[in-house]
Amino acid sequence: MKKPIIFILTLLILGIGNWLISTLFNLNFVDVSIPFGVVCAGLAHSFTGGTSPYTRQSDMETRGETGIRMPFKNKAARTSFVFFGSLTYFVFALVMTLVFYREYFIG
């Protein structure tokens, strides 16, 4: 039950953030959504999933201080629902942009 709530909250927070940015800078919501979605998905992946540089730095510091080699954990399988929510937001923004500007793309 916790995972769907996190997923939905991520979508809501990204939508509100996109709306705030588009309102503050007087831009169209659709025009801001793709770059905002890419940035948020990248940040979510670097902080919550994969082998982030922050985790690797912590492992190296522990190895340097104690001499104990930390076992490598494949964290790609533990990618969070925040990342999946951000990725879903990006795909939705891409589809929404294509629908909004369909006359431009079609001809």
Side-chain angles (χ1 to χ4, degrees), residues 34-77:
I34 289 181
F36 186 71
V38 168
V39 168
C40 290
L43 286 174
H45 186 267
S46 67
F47 283 113
T48 61
T51 54
S52 69
Y54 313 107
T55 306
R56 293 174 59 98
Q57 177 67 26
S58 173
D59 290 346
M60 290 302 225
E61 287 175 2
T62 303
R63 186 184 301 179
E65 291 174 4
T66 63
I68 299 171
R69 185 172 184 205
M70 300 299 291
F72 177 73
K73 300 174 191 169
N74 187 6
K75 295 184 180 179

Side-chain angles (χ1 to χ4, degrees), residues 13-26 29 32 36:
I13 289 170
L14 291 178
I16 291 169
N18 191 6
W19 176 76
L20 285 173
I21 289 174
S22 63
T23 303
L24 287 174
F25 294 108
N26 198 18
F29 184 85
V32 177
F36 186 71

